[in-house]
Amino acid sequence: MRRYLVAGNWKMNGTLASAQELARAVAEGVPDESSQVDVLICPAFPHLAGVKEAVGNARVRVGAQNAYHEKPGAYTGEVALEMLVDLGIDAVILGHSERRHVLKETDELINRKVRAALEQKLQVVLCVGELLSEREASQTEAVLDRQMEGGLNGVDASQMNQIVVAYEPVWAIGTGHTATPDQAQAAHAHLRNWLSSRYNPAVAEGMQILYGGSVKPDNAAELLAQPDVDGALVGGASLKPELFQPIIQAAVDAAQ
Ligand code: PEP
C-alpha cells in the first residue's frame, strides 16, 4: 500500500520568526511512522535553514519551492540545488502553476530542474494541472500528458521512486474552488495510467499522486478517500496549524 504525503507550500509568506513558529507547531503534531503518513513543509528560501533548525529531529521533511538547475556559479538571484543539499533539505517542488504561469517556466526548463534535482538525490514534487479554459475545452488529459512527457523527459524508471506527482488544477489553486472528489480521482487515475504506459505498472502503482487546490479541513477527507489520491499539496491552509493539522489527521484516518 502507498503511504500518504501531506505537503505544505508556504509560498512567499511569513517572517523567519513566524515560519519557525509554524514549523514547531507542525513538528509537535506530526503523526508517528506507523500512521503511514509523511509530512513535508516548504517555506521560502530565506527561511529554509531556520525552519530546518526549528523542526529538529521531528519526523517532518523540509523542502524548497523551486531551485535552479545549473551548478553553482554566475546566476545572479538563483539558488542551486547543491545549496539545498548543503542545508539538509529533503525535497523540492518543481513546475508549480505559479512558476509556470506567473514566472513563465516551460516544460523544458522544468525538466532540466527535475533531472538536476534527481542527480542531487532530492525528492521532487512535480506539479501538473490544467487551466480552467483547458478543462472547458476538454483538454485536461492532453495538458497533463504534455506536462508529464515534458517534465519527465529523460527520467528513467529507476529514478521514479524520487518523484511525487501533484495534480493541481490551476482553477482550484487559491480560489476556494476545489475539484470534486470525482474530478480529482479521474485526473489521478489518468496520471497513473500514463505512468503505467510510459514506465511500467510497478512504477505507476508505487507513485504517490497528491491533489492540490484549495484543500481544507472540510474537504480533505473526501478527496483523500479516493483510491488514486495519495495525499495533498496544501497552500493557504498550510499556513495555519489549526487548518493544516486536521488535513494531516484526515490523511491518518484515510490510511487506516
Ligand atoms: C498550492 O499553492 O500548491 C495550492 C494548492 O494552494 P491552495 O491550497 O491555497 O489552493
Side-chain angles (χ1 to χ4, degrees):
M1 194 186 124
R2 292 182 294 273
R3 295 175 70 83
Y4 282 77
L5 175 65
V6 180
N9 172 13
W10 294 356
K11 309 196 189 195
M12 196 173 71
N13 286 299
T15 60
L16 176 57
S18 72
Q20 287 185 301
E21 196 183 317
L22 186 52
R24 279 191 286 270
V26 174
E28 257 171 45
V30 74
D32 66 27
E33 178 84 35
S34 66
S35 65
Q36 304 296 317
V37 176
D38 300 313
V39 176
L40 169 70
I41 51 177
C42 302
F45 284 135
H47 303 157
L48 280 169
V51 161
K52 191 74 195 146
E53 189 191 311
V55 157
N57 292 327
R59 220 177 58 80
V60 177
R61 298 189 211 159
V62 179
Q65 301 167 18
N66 179 39
Y68 200 54
H69 56 280
E70 294 287 358
K71 297 285 171 209
Y75 298 98
T76 303
E78 293 296 337
V79 173
L81 289 151
E82 284 81 350
M83 294 169 178
L84 302 181
V85 173
D86 182 46
L87 292 182
I89 296 309
D90 306 288
V92 60
I93 298 174
L94 295 173
H96 189 276
S97 73
E98 286 147 19
R99 299 216 57 91
R100 290 178 188 269
H101 298 291
V102 183
L103 282 305
K104 306 293 176 208
E105 289 199 5
T106 61
D107 284 319
E108 194 197 341
L109 176 61
I110 293 161
N111 178 245
R112 286 186 192 180
K113 294 181 176 194
V114 168
R115 288 194 293 182
L118 294 176
E119 248 176 58
Q120 294 301 319
K121 304 286 177 234
L122 285 162
Q123 182 176 47
V124 171
V125 180
L126 175 64
C127 301
V128 295
E130 80 287 0
L131 297 164
L132 182 59
S133 56
E134 292 166 335
R135 173 163 282 268
E136 286 172 347
S138 304
Q139 290 297 305
T140 299
E141 294 186 352
V143 170
L144 296 182
D145 292 354
R146 191 183 69 228
Q147 293 177 343
M148 292 289 280
E149 294 280 359
L152 294 172
N153 185 26
V155 175
D156 64 43
S158 69
Q159 297 171 294
M160 290 301 281
N161 59 357
Q162 275 175 262
I163 304 262
V164 172
V165 173
Y167 170 60
E168 297 209 307
V170 182
W171 47 271
I173 299 180
T175 59
H177 299 299
T178 320
T180 65
D182 286 351
Q183 285 173 322
Q185 170 56 26
H188 284 227
H190 177 78
L191 289 166
R192 208 175 296 286
N193 283 336
W194 185 92
L195 288 161
S196 186
S197 34
R198 163 74 163 78
Y199 291 99
N200 58 56
V203 164
E205 224 10 71
M207 179 66 53
Q208 285 174 314
I209 307 179
L210 315 185
Y211 169 78
S214 297
V215 177
K216 302 279 183 285
D218 62 0
N219 58 29
E222 254 194 317
L223 288 161
L224 293 167
Q226 301 306 308
D228 287 296
V229 177
D230 309 309
L233 178 53
V234 186
S238 70
L239 293 168
K240 295 188 175 148
E242 68 275 20
L243 299 182
F244 195 49
Q245 196 53 46
I247 296 172
I248 296 171
Q249 187 56 46
V252 172
D253 296 342
Q256 297 300 300

